[in-house]
Amino acid sequence: MKIARARAEQFGGIVELASPRALLHIDRELMRELGYPDSPLWDLPEGALSAPREVHVVLSRKCAAGCKGCYVDATPQGKALSFDEACGVLDELAAMGVFHVALGGGEALELDYLFAVADHARKVGITPNLTTSGLGLDEAAARRCAVFGQINVSVDGVGQAYADARGFDGFHHAERALRLLRAVKPEVGVNCVVSRSSFEHVFEVARLVKRLRLNELELLRFKPVGRGARLEEELTPEQGKALWPMARRLVWRHRIRVKLDCSFAPMVFWHQPSARAAAFFGVQGCVAGDVLAAVQPEGGLTGCSFTAQVLADARVPGAMRAAWPKGFGEFRDYVATAPEPCASCAYLKLCRGGCRAVSNAHGNFSDPDPGCPRVQEHRAASFSATGPRPEHGPRRPLPVVAT
Amino acid sequence: MKLFRRGRVLQATFGCNPNSSSLGVDVTFLLFGAVFASALAVVLGALLRKGPKQ
């Protein structure tokens, strides 16, 4: 078992394994046993990580596909980080000790310098990963994708369900891209946005993952952000409660690895899984501005890709490192200041109140996630005397970062 | 006499995340439960110690 990289944290440290690919949080004693010196961080009180573990670098808002729910509002003329800017950002992230970057967009494959950026990430010790629609991917480009750690192709449905979800018929392009990529490397999976309309079609996507021998199916929650803010596609309360049982069934029935994104945490914790197992396997709700951060195409460092509050200009040398320790209080302080029903929830420290971006889209960044079944039950009980309530509170569009 | 406490693996996440949102729940691993997590922590700790030191 080879340690690729390690960095100290207040609790001890994080080590990255090359094989199997893993990030391990270890305590101070184990850091010492492995030969690492004591760190000044070990004298500090418990708090956020010294740097994000992974950063989503939104290389561009450029994409010709025009998906109707695109959360970055990508267009063919969208803004993009230049090659030099992207490399500069990666240099900064490497100096901070970031382990992984997720490169995306827009459609990152539309940038002719994507692979050069990925090569640069490798050069500075960061594992680059990619999400793509697969549109326009040919054999030559697929071979070059070997540079990435994990590549996921967005497939929100099979056949007509894809067209219904995205607004154009691109399923065959996506399937072809998956086959081409799978011929090059085993770490190829599918991203599937689970929305109100696509919920019942997720089983078809799982079958596709099994059939093409892909290594994971990642289910992403539909978020009313960007062009998605115009759609009524958030899960119904019944679907929210049914998500975790469905995910379990997918694992048992198809024998595939299934992951859920951080915004689904409330729907999982409502079913009261083992908190100890959840903590050990890093099952968490909103980790924006702590475990995760994002760099927008305009250069802004944000807590995650779905929020617009910019902490620093990532293109300015040293700016991210200087701003990080005391930044993102609006994310990091949620657990300490959480209102009911989060405050009395046994899973608060893990769930962290669900998805801040979704709460913000519904009106208040610091409110509990309105998609959480516990929150919905609490609100239903609170307002039962005043008549029926809508499934979610009034929603206002969440603007993407101004271009 | 000072007692020596062996170090521990506190958390493990496997694979890489290519997404815009962070990895929240690895359903496959969470299904195995707390006993499996404890056992895995011990095994990973032992394997780490067997590897080359810094």
Side-chain angles (χ1 to χ4, degrees):
Chain A
M1 189 179 279
K2 187 168 177 277
I3 296 175
R5 286 207 301 161
R7 77 176 197 218
E9 289 293 342
Q10 287 135 340
F11 52 80
I14 304 175
V15 296
E16 179 183 25
L17 303 182
S19 178
R21 278 191 178 142
L23 290 174
L24 306 181
H25 288 206
I26 63 176
D27 67 7
R28 297 168 189 175
E29 285 75 20
L30 190 46
M31 283 289 278
R32 289 192 187 106
E33 287 178 56
L34 296 178
Y36 293 100
D38 285 19
S39 166
L41 290 173
W42 296 356
D43 299 325
L44 298 178
E46 194 179 331
L49 295 181
S50 65
R53 243 173 34 189
E54 58 185 65
V55 173
H56 181 220
V57 181
V58 190
L59 286 172
S60 83
R61 296 189 198 284
K62 207 184 286 281
C63 179
C67 297
K68 63 183 183 183
C70 178
Y71 77 95
V72 298
D73 205 7
T75 64
Q77 296 79 34
K79 171 82 176 159
L81 282 171
S82 69
F83 172 70
D84 288 339
E85 287 173 335
C87 290
V89 167
L90 290 171
D91 290 342
E92 292 285 315
L93 296 177
M96 291 171 74
V98 171
F99 295 99
H100 297 168
V101 290
L103 302 178
E107 177 47 69
L109 277 173
E110 289 186 12
L111 303 175
D112 55 12
Y113 50 84
L114 169 66
F115 296 109
V117 170
D119 287 336
H120 188 79
R122 288 282 186 193
K123 195 173 128 196
V124 297
I126 295 178
T127 305
N129 304 290
L130 178 72
T131 288
T132 174
S133 67
L135 297 178
L137 186 89
D138 56 19
E139 279 185 47
R143 277 195 296 275
R144 297 188 73 186
C145 283
V147 69
F148 294 107
Q150 176 76 32
I151 307 176
N152 282 11
V153 176
S154 301
V155 181
D156 298 341
V158 173
Q160 184 58 39
Y162 181 108
D164 293 342
R166 302 212 131 204
F168 69 97
D169 184 8
F171 174 71
H172 294 294
H173 295 280
E175 186 181 19
R176 179 172 183 272
L178 284 167
R179 289 181 190 281
L180 289 173
L181 290 167
R182 186 60 186 82
V184 171
K185 68 201 300 307
E187 298 94 353
V188 178
V190 160
N191 279 355
C192 177
V193 175
V194 184
S195 66
R196 188 174 300 187
S197 328
S198 72
F199 189 90
E200 62 188 272
H201 300 293
V202 172
F203 281 96
E204 296 158 22
V205 181
R207 277 196 288 272
L208 177 77
V209 168
K210 177 76 174 176
R211 182 160 51 86
L212 298 183
R213 296 181 300 110
L214 307 179
N215 77 334
E216 69 175 34
L217 168 62
E218 178 135 2
L219 303 180
L220 311 170
R221 180 175 169 190
F222 173 85
K223 302 169 191 75
V225 175
R227 286 203 287 272
R230 302 176 204 145
L231 306 176
E232 289 296 332
E233 283 290 355
E234 287 182 87
L235 298 186
T236 65
E238 293 72 28
Q239 288 173 330
K241 289 176 184 172
L243 182 94
W244 172 241
M246 177 183 76
R248 285 187 310 199
R249 276 201 304 277
L250 292 177
V251 171
W252 293 126
R253 184 177 297 176
H254 299 288
R255 298 284 189 264
I256 57 173
R257 189 176 182 194
V258 177
K259 297 176 179 176
L260 307 177
D261 83 354
C262 45
S263 61
F264 274 134
M267 288 77 157
V268 173
F269 289 124
W270 187 77
H271 291 273
Q272 302 184 329
S274 159
R276 225 169 101 206
F280 183 76
F281 290 117
V283 175
Q284 289 174 310
C286 180
V287 288
D290 187 358
V291 175
L292 171 76
V295 174
Q296 305 286 347
E298 298 78 18
L301 175 71
T302 57
C304 84
S305 313
F306 300 94
T307 58
Q309 298 94 324
V310 173
L311 178 68
D313 189 337
R315 298 166 299 180
V316 176
M320 286 191 288
R321 177 170 267 196
W324 180 264
K326 294 191 185 307
F328 295 122
E330 67 275 25
F331 292 98
R332 296 174 187 174
D333 295 343
Y334 185 84
V335 171
T337 60
E340 288 293 351
C342 290
S344 58
C345 179
Y347 291 91
L348 172 61
K349 280 189 178 171
L350 292 168
C351 179
R352 303 192 193 199
C355 181
R356 299 296 89 228
V358 173
S359 291
N360 197 33
H362 281 272
N364 191 342
F365 187 89
S366 301
D367 275 352
D369 187 329
C372 169
R374 180 180 163 88
V375 171
Q376 290 165 353
E377 288 171 352
H378 177 79
R379 288 182 178 167
S382 301
F383 293 102
S384 59
T386 60
R389 298 279 297 170
E391 289 164 4
H392 297 299
R395 200 174 83 200
R396 65 179 171 78
L398 181 69
V400 294
V401 178
T403 54
Chain B
M1 185 178 74
K2 188 177 176 184
L3 288 175
F4 176 73
R5 186 176 78 76
R6 301 211 81 175
R8 290 183 304 145
V9 176
L10 306 171
Q11 187 189 106
T13 51
F14 295 92
C16 299
N17 175 32
N19 295 300
S20 49
S21 38
S22 186
L23 168 63
V25 186
D26 194 325
V27 179
T28 312
F29 283 105
L30 187 55
L31 286 178
F32 290 126
V35 175
F36 177 74
S38 301
L40 188 59
V42 172
V43 171
L44 287 170
L47 290 173
L48 275 178
R49 288 185 193 94
K50 276 180 71 176
K53 301 288 182 288
Q54 298 305 304

